[in-house]
């Protein structure tokens, strides 16, 4: 607030507080004279009423100011309490106080100069992340409609001990009946493979079972190139003919990955075996951190790993 602005804002209040009692006093004095009251008495009455109205105005103004001050103090204390609560939550969070502080600092630096479209996008991204984090303490599955890439790459970056994956050849390797590399020749597949190589360098054990539609696909050159590429970086690869899987296990065959035996990453394909030469897509992606579900899939993987013949020739090497 500027010094020149203060007198302009204070002037109306001062005029009202002084002028109104004086006006009352003047009216009283005139009325007293008209009523025949003597000069000294009329002056005394006018003075009393002027003082009384001035005092009343002062008391009312003081009460209003105290009330407003109390409200501001209450709001201030509430803000302090809220800030202390947020600070305590940030310190307690397993996500890291420094990371959360950096986010708030970065968010606080944004202003209306940011492109409006990017503002809306940023709000949507913050809402998405908030929704994800809000579900973490619940311990139930977290779903994403469609094909995810951030979860897959992020989990691979953060894995510390193991990655066990079931890959349906018709989903990950390409078009059914005529493999074209699919996931593994895409940008996502290239980045995913590189992150797996880095994970192996961190002593993470990675096992992958390719469930193929039939024995002939194991001799497809594109498919063999995919398996060679994975074995070269240290991934343990086995192949399993879909028709040799025990009948009681066949309904349970789907793409999933178990990270560190603590979180499962599951995908639901748009189509399955025997549909035709159709490019398959992902309808839904689910993260399941529930121990019973993870243990179930880990056990399921071990059964399939044993069912896959480790002596099966994977390539011509």
């Amino acid at each position: 607030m500027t010094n020149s602005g203060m007198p302009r804002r204070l002037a109306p209040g001062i005029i009202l507080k002084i002028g109104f009692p004086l006006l009352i006093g003047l009216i009283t004095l005139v009325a007293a004279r008209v009523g025949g009251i003597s000069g000294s008495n009329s002056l005394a009455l006018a003075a009393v009423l002027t003082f009384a109205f001035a005092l009343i105005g002062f008391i009312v103004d003081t009460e209003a100011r105290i009330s407003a001050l109390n409200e501001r103090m209450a709001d201030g204390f509430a803000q302090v309490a809220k800030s202390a609560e947020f600070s305590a939550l940030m310190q307690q969070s397993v996500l890291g106080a420094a990371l959360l502080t950096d986010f708030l600092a970065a968010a606080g630096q944004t202003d209306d100069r940011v492109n409006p479209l990017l503002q809306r996008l940023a709000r949507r991204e913050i809402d998405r992340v908030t929704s994800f984090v809000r579900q973490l303490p619940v311990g139930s599955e977290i779903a994403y409609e469609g094909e995810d890439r951030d979860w897959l790459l992020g989990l691979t970056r953060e894995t510390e001990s193991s990655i066990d994956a079931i890959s349906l050849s018709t989903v990950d390797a390409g078009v059914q009946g005529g493999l074209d590399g699919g996931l593994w020749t895409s940008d996502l597949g290239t980045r995913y493979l590189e992150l797996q190589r880095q994970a192996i360098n961190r002593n993470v054990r990675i096992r992958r079972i390719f469930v193929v539609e039939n024995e002939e696909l194991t001799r497809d050159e594109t498919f063999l190139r995919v398996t060679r590429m994975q074995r070269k970086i240290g991934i343990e690869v086995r192949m399993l003919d879909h028709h040799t899987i025990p009948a009681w296990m066949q309904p349970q065959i789907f793409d999933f990955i178990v990270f560190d035996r603590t979180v499962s990453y599951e995908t639901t394909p748009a189509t399955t075996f025997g549909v035709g030469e159709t490019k398959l897509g992902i309808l839904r992606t689910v993260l399941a951190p529930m121990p019973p579900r993870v243990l179930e899939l880990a056990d399921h993987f071990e059964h399939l790993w044993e069912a896959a013949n480790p002596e099966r020739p994977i390539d011509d090497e």
Side-chain angles (χ1 to χ4, degrees), residues 231 237-239 304-314:
R231 293 177 67 209
V237 177
R238 291 185 183 180
M239 289 186 289
L304 291 175
W305 185 254
E306 292 301 321
N309 182 3
E311 303 300 325
R312 182 191 305 276
I314 295 178

Side-chain angles (χ1 to χ4, degrees), residues 61 65 82 141 184-185 194-195 223 253:
D61 182 66
R65 288 178 177 273
K82 197 67 174 178
E141 69 175 29
W184 303 108
T185 57
E194 169 59 21
L195 290 175
F223 189 67
I253 299 300

Side-chain angles (χ1 to χ4, degrees), residues 13 30 36 69 84 124 141 156-157 185 197 223 270 277 303 309:
V30 172
L69 178 61
R124 183 173 294 276
E141 69 175 29
T156 306
R157 285 191 183 97
T185 57
R197 185 191 64 79
F223 189 67
E277 295 187 7
H303 278 90
N309 182 3

Side-chain angles (χ1 to χ4, degrees), residues 163-169 172 184 206-212 223 227 230 235-242 245 249 253-257 273 297-309 312 314:
I163 299 175
D164 294 329
I166 298 292
S167 296
L168 272 63
S169 62
D172 289 345
W184 303 108
I206 302 180
R207 297 183 293 174
R208 174 164 290 106
I209 302 172
F210 281 108
V211 182
V212 296
F223 189 67
T227 58
Q230 300 205 12
I235 298 175
E236 300 174 45
V237 177
R238 291 185 183 180
M239 289 186 289
L240 186 60
D241 187 341
H242 179 259
I245 299 173
M249 294 186 69
I253 299 300
F254 61 95
D255 269 73
F256 70 81
I257 309 170
F273 285 111
L297 292 180
D299 183 66
H300 185 46
F301 178 87
E302 294 299 338
H303 278 90
L304 291 175
W305 185 254
E306 292 301 321
N309 182 3
R312 182 191 305 276
I314 295 178

Side-chain angles (χ1 to χ4, degrees), residues 99-114 122 126:
L99 177 64
L100 298 175
T101 300
D102 287 345
F103 170 75
L104 290 176
Q109 292 175 1
T110 58
D111 53 34
D112 55 8
R113 290 174 296 179
V114 176
I126 292 172

Side-chain angles (χ1 to χ4, degrees), residues 35-308:
I37 300 175
S38 61
S40 58
N41 290 336
S42 63
L43 286 174
L45 179 60
V48 169
L49 288 177
T50 300
F51 177 76
F53 274 94
L55 181 61
I56 291 172
F58 173 77
I59 294 173
V60 170
D61 182 66
T62 301
E63 287 295 325
R65 288 178 177 273
I66 292 175
S67 177
L69 178 61
N70 288 337
E71 290 181 3
R72 288 196 296 270
M73 290 178 64
D75 291 341
F77 284 129
Q79 292 294 330
V80 170
K82 197 67 174 178
S83 298
E85 179 183 355
F86 277 131
S87 178
L89 289 174
M90 290 172 61
Q91 294 298 326
Q92 296 170 8
S93 175
V94 296
L95 300 179
L99 177 64
L100 298 175
T101 300
D102 287 345
F103 170 75
L104 290 176
Q109 292 175 1
T110 58
D111 53 34
D112 55 8
R113 290 174 296 179
V114 176
N115 182 289
L117 179 57
L118 294 182
Q119 290 182 41
R120 297 195 296 273
L121 177 61
R123 293 189 190 100
R124 183 173 294 276
E125 287 296 299
I126 292 172
D127 182 67
R128 180 179 61 83
V129 173
T130 301
S131 176
F132 177 83
V133 175
R134 187 178 290 122
Q135 297 178 75
L136 295 180
V138 178
S140 58
E141 69 175 29
I142 305 172
Y144 178 86
E145 298 303 323
E147 182 177 11
D148 159 79
R149 61 184 292 140
D150 293 332
W151 290 350
L152 178 63
L153 299 179
L155 287 168
T156 306
R157 285 191 183 97
E158 300 301 329
T159 297
E160 297 179 341
S161 61
S162 65
I163 299 175
D164 294 329
I166 298 292
S167 296
L168 272 63
S169 62
T170 52
V171 175
D172 289 345
V175 178
Q176 182 175 344
L179 300 174
D180 66 352
L183 167 68
W184 303 108
T185 57
S186 67
D187 171 66
L188 173 59
T190 301
R191 295 182 62 186
Y192 180 34
L193 198 63
E194 169 59 21
L195 290 175
Q196 289 176 91
R197 185 191 64 79
Q198 295 175 17
I200 291 172
N201 290 339
R202 301 194 305 269
N203 296 319
V204 173
R205 185 187 185 189
I206 302 180
R207 297 183 293 174
R208 174 164 290 106
I209 302 172
F210 281 108
V211 182
V212 296
E213 185 183 7
N214 55 63
E215 185 73 21
E216 293 180 2
L217 293 181
T218 63
R219 293 185 289 274
D220 182 273
E221 183 55 37
T222 302
F223 189 67
L224 289 175
R225 187 164 59 250
V226 169
T227 58
R228 290 192 194 102
M229 181 171 52
Q230 300 205 12
R231 293 177 67 209
K232 185 176 182 180
I233 67 172
I235 298 175
E236 300 174 45
V237 177
R238 291 185 183 180
M239 289 186 289
L240 186 60
D241 187 341
H242 179 259
H243 299 292
T244 65
I245 299 173
W248 66 273
M249 294 186 69
Q250 288 196 15
Q252 306 175 49
I253 299 300
F254 61 95
D255 269 73
F256 70 81
I257 309 170
V258 178
F259 291 92
D260 282 347
R261 289 184 170 260
T262 59
V263 174
S264 70
Y265 176 97
E266 307 171 33
T267 59
T268 303
T271 54
T272 55
F273 285 111
V275 174
E277 295 187 7
T278 304
K279 194 73 172 180
L280 304 182
I282 302 299
L283 290 180
R284 195 165 186 258
T285 306
V286 171
L287 295 184
M290 305 85 72
R293 178 59 174 171
V294 175
L295 290 176
E296 176 188 1
L297 292 180
D299 183 66
H300 185 46
F301 178 87
E302 294 299 338
H303 278 90
L304 291 175
W305 185 254
E306 292 301 321

